[in-house]
Amino acid sequence: PDLFHHSICGLYTSTSLFPVLWYQTHQYPYGIVLDAGSSRTTVYVYEWPAEKENDTGVVSQTFKCDVKGPGISSYEHNTGALAKPLDECLNKVKERIPVHLHKSTSIYLGATAGMRLLRLQNETAANEVLASIQNYFRAQPFQFRGANIITGPEEGVYGWITANYLMELRFSGKSEGEKETIGALDLGGASTQISFIPEDSQENFNNTMQVKLYGYDYNVYTHSFQCYGRDEAEKRLLALLLQSGISSSVDNPCYPRNYETTLTVKYFCGSLCTQSLRPANYYPNQSVIFHGTGDPGLCQEMVSLLFNFTTCRNQEDCPFNGIHQPKVKGNFVAFSGFYYTINALNLTGHFSLADFNSSMWFFCSQSWAQLQFMLPKSEEIYARSYCFSANFIYYLLVHGYNFDAENWPQIHFQKEVGNSSIAWSLGYMLSLTNMIPAEGKLIQLPLKPSLFAGLLIFLAVLALKCQLVTYILFQLYWIF
Ligand SMILES: *[C@@H]1O[C@H](CO)[C@@H](O)[C@H](O)[C@H]1NC(C)=O
Ligand SMILES: *[C@@H]1O[C@H](CO)[C@@H](O)[C@H](O)[C@H]1NC(C)=O
Ligand SMILES: *[C@@H]1O[C@H](CO)[C@@H](O)[C@H](O)[C@H]1NC(C)=O
Ligand SMILES: *[C@@H]1O[C@H](CO)[C@@H](O)[C@H](O)[C@H]1NC(C)=O
């Protein structure tokens, strides 16, 4: 049987027959997702099959474009200005996708915590933003599949699906028996998500979502902490610092030594996340000078105030803010804001908690002049905040989610697999197109009845068997 598999695999890979047939019968080789985050919008173009040589039907990212300007929720009073920066990216997308496929290419927009907050604050304004986006996309050549605000748990689970889809197909594919999954840690601008399979996945947590992946049913624990995204958390810190000071000049231990910036109170107190922290005399346009003191110890103390531990009776299964969470288990991948922060500290992949702490301490002790030299490519608004982000990540992971020195190295800080970003957007598209690999089928092809259909299924089954062999080989490789 091994010989049979190998010769068939060889035939199939050398002739590339399958991808050719597949391409002809498959109507939609591209999909576009816009991740409308709180601080920016990112356009992703996905294509399948990705690697015709080695794999079949692996959806992979072929193009990514950061839309200039802020997130869509910032256009609340200026929806007319949404189109221009979107055009810049979409024009590039149009060049990437053959013109005759534009009409059949689906385009999805999912908005996250920035829009969730705006909707809570002013639903009319949020609807106006979505409506103007809908108008914009209706005039585009692609097949527009809607602009939606996705919920926090959805965002968490789609991130988990992406992580496991990308990792499973390329690294630790196990064909039979128990499937090991990887947990997902996502840090956005306005919210942060944790998603993983707990030790006892049958236990009924409020925050469990059922997901079917590779033929297995998973109960994914997921939670999204609103206002615990990087930007909103920092705004809350600035609001707290202003409360403790009284003058129009405030020391910030998380900003680098000798750094100074002037911000309006509205900049950090205008958000829903900081509404309760507004000073008694709230003058939105009043200016406050923040003066960096680069004091890592004091910074950590201030960051601890962003977490409410008093609402939990039992620290074990309720880390903070009264949210029930099972004990973290297995490997995790920490992407987006987690990755960018760790990267600024010159760390990557996985490392000990002690290494993280010493890098953070070193980084936070640098003066602004030194930091600018160390991070020549970083914009000021990012560079000044990495020390805060690092402390926030430390507090969230260690005191929030209860990672300790022992399981900290199981967190892999990573932003992509191959060229595909680890982001909820891929899982979102896979789910909406019903493309999550199910049992017996690696992908669900929207087949058209044709002369080739029978042959195609036959080849798909063969391809799957070959994949199985590859999976087992990979598994052995990883074990030894
Ligand atoms: C296919 O796999 C081989 C061996 O693992 C590798 O060297 C090659 O780069 C792969 N091709 C692509 C397109 O990834
Ligand atoms: C909500 O947004 C709408 C549209 O932008 C605006 O006209 C209205 O004044 C806003 N309401 C509040 C309470 O801010
Ligand atoms: C923590 O939460 C409790 C209950 O919601 C609340 O009474 C308390 O004021 C909160 N503490 C802080 C520091 O926010
Ligand atoms: C990171 O490493 C580079 C190259 O070794 C160095 O120039 C830079 O200063 C380091 N940055 C930090 C934050 O340690």
Side-chain angles (χ1 to χ4, degrees):
D2 271 344
L3 212 69
F4 170 74
H5 278 135
H6 279 128
S7 62
I8 296 293
C9 287
L11 172 76
Y12 143 71
T13 44
S14 60
T15 60
S16 295
L17 180 65
F18 176 66
V20 170
L21 287 177
W22 184 83
Y23 184 83
Q24 284 175 348
T25 48
H26 189 53
Q27 294 292 300
Y28 323 106
Y30 293 96
I32 307 167
V33 181
L34 279 87
D35 169 352
S38 62
S39 55
R40 80 164 73 84
T41 302
T42 308
V43 183
Y44 294 99
V45 177
Y46 298 107
E47 186 183 0
W48 56 89
E51 287 161 2
K52 294 175 186 175
E53 279 181 50
N54 289 352
D55 253 325
T56 56
V58 181
V59 177
S60 79
Q61 177 186 318
T62 57
F63 183 65
K64 176 182 168 212
C65 182
D66 287 329
V67 176
K68 284 215 185 81
I72 59 169
S73 54
S74 305
Y75 290 90
E76 127 186 51
H77 300 301
N78 190 16
T79 51
L82 269 163
K84 198 161 170 279
L86 280 174
D87 267 344
E88 270 181 50
C89 274
L90 280 201
N91 286 339
K92 290 183 192 156
V93 169
K94 283 175 203 160
E95 286 168 20
R96 299 273 164 158
I97 300 178
V99 174
H100 72 282
L101 293 173
H102 284 181
K103 259 196 172 133
S104 58
T105 298
S106 294
I107 187 163
Y108 305 86
L109 183 139
T112 52
M115 284 297 284
R116 292 199 282 273
L117 288 170
L118 178 59
R119 188 169 55 184
L120 286 173
Q121 210 164 12
N122 184 343
E123 198 169 348
T124 318
N127 287 339
E128 277 176 14
V129 170
L130 288 181
S132 70
I133 285 185
Q134 263 145 13
N135 283 337
Y136 172 80
F137 281 110
R138 290 218 179 90
Q140 295 292 323
F142 306 111
Q143 205 168 108
F144 179 55
R145 301 282 180 141
N148 294 301
I149 301 177
I150 66 172
T151 68
E154 281 171 345
E155 189 179 357
V157 159
Y158 292 137
W160 183 88
I161 290 173
T162 302
N164 283 281
Y165 182 83
L166 293 176
M167 303 281 182
E168 190 86 11
L169 284 174
R170 310 210 179 195
F171 293 133
S172 59
K174 294 190 175 185
S175 48
E176 294 297 332
E178 187 177 307
K179 288 276 194 168
E180 218 169 274
T181 58
I182 189 160
L185 298 167
D186 186 1
L187 179 60
S191 71
T192 190
Q193 286 74 240
I194 178 170
S195 314
F196 64 99
I197 307 290
E199 183 75 53
D200 180 5
S201 63
Q202 298 313 309
E203 197 182 333
N204 202 9
F205 291 102
N206 276 346
N207 306 310
T208 304
M209 283 180 83
Q210 281 207 342
V211 177
K212 198 178 172 86
L213 193 63
Y214 301 109
Y216 292 84
D217 285 314
Y218 293 105
N219 290 321
V220 184
Y221 166 83
T222 185
H223 191 78
S224 175
F225 290 91
Q226 191 139 280
C227 299
Y228 283 81
R230 214 212 60 81
D231 301 337
E232 292 299 328
E234 191 174 13
K235 286 182 195 167
R236 292 195 291 128
L237 177 91
L238 296 177
L240 281 175
L241 288 170
L242 181 64
Q243 276 188 343
S244 52
I246 16 165
S247 66
S248 59
S249 172
V250 180
D251 280 350
N252 181 351
C254 300
Y255 276 164
R257 194 157 29 89
N258 299 336
Y259 175 75
E260 210 171 82
T261 190
T262 305
L263 303 171
T264 61
V265 177
K266 182 173 63 184
Y267 173 82
F268 53 92
C269 278
S271 148
L272 194 65
C273 297
T274 45
Q275 226 166 30
S276 63
L277 298 172
R278 279 179 192 168
N281 303 312
Y282 176 52
Y283 304 110
N285 292 319
Q286 187 196 333
S287 294
V288 181
I289 299 166
F290 284 95
H291 177 76
T293 57
D295 182 340
L298 197 54
C299 176
Q300 200 153 107
E301 225 170 276
M302 289 307 298
V303 165
S304 75
L305 301 177
L306 302 176
F307 296 81
N308 190 342
F309 295 101
T310 58
T311 48
C312 287
R313 266 180 294 128
N314 171 5
Q315 200 60 44
E316 277 274 287
D317 65 354
C318 165
F320 67 101
N321 292 16
I323 301 301
H324 185 42
Q325 184 204 294
K327 198 172 171 340
V328 289
K329 179 183 167 253
N331 289 314
F332 280 80
V333 59
F335 47 98
S336 55
F338 287 112
Y339 171 83
Y340 293 114
T341 303
I342 257 64
N343 192 245
L345 304 191
N346 263 359
L347 294 166
T348 185
H350 55 114
F351 38 82
S352 71
L353 183 54
D355 282 349
F356 174 68
N357 276 329
S358 64
S359 295
M360 176 164 68
W361 203 272
F362 173 77
F363 187 95
C364 290
S365 310
Q366 303 301 312
S367 70
W368 179 232
Q370 285 162 322
L371 264 195
Q372 282 174 294
F373 181 71
M374 286 158 71
L375 301 168
K377 284 192 213 126
S378 265
E379 283 172 50
E380 172 179 338
I381 165 168
Y382 298 114
R384 73 182 183 201
S385 294
Y386 284 127
C387 170
F388 164 76
S389 313
N391 275 283
F392 179 69
I393 286 172
Y394 169 84
Y395 226 86
L396 177 70
L397 296 183
V398 173
H399 297 283
Y401 300 154
N402 288 331
F403 281 96
D404 54 22
E406 201 178 311
N407 57 18
W408 174 278
Q410 285 178 292
I411 309 173
H412 297 243
F413 293 87
Q414 193 175 336
K415 68 169 173 171
E416 56 195 10
V417 178
N419 288 323
S420 300
S421 308
I422 307 173
W424 62 266
S425 47
L426 175 55
Y428 185 62
M429 191 191 69
L430 292 172
S431 303
L432 291 184
T433 52
N434 207 15
M435 290 257 309
I436 293 179
E439 198 163 28
K441 274 185 243 161
L442 196 61
I443 43 171
Q444 291 169 355
L445 303 172
L447 277 177
K448 286 203 146 183
S450 83
L451 281 176
F452 289 125
L455 182 59
L456 201 62
I457 289 165
F458 172 66
L459 284 172
V461 170
L462 277 188
L464 189 74
K465 282 184 178 170
C466 295
Q467 203 106 42
L468 243 139
V469 172
T470 320
Y471 277 169
I472 292 164
L473 287 177
F474 260 107
Q475 197 184 339
L476 289 174
Y477 173 78
W478 277 86
I479 290 171
F480 298 109

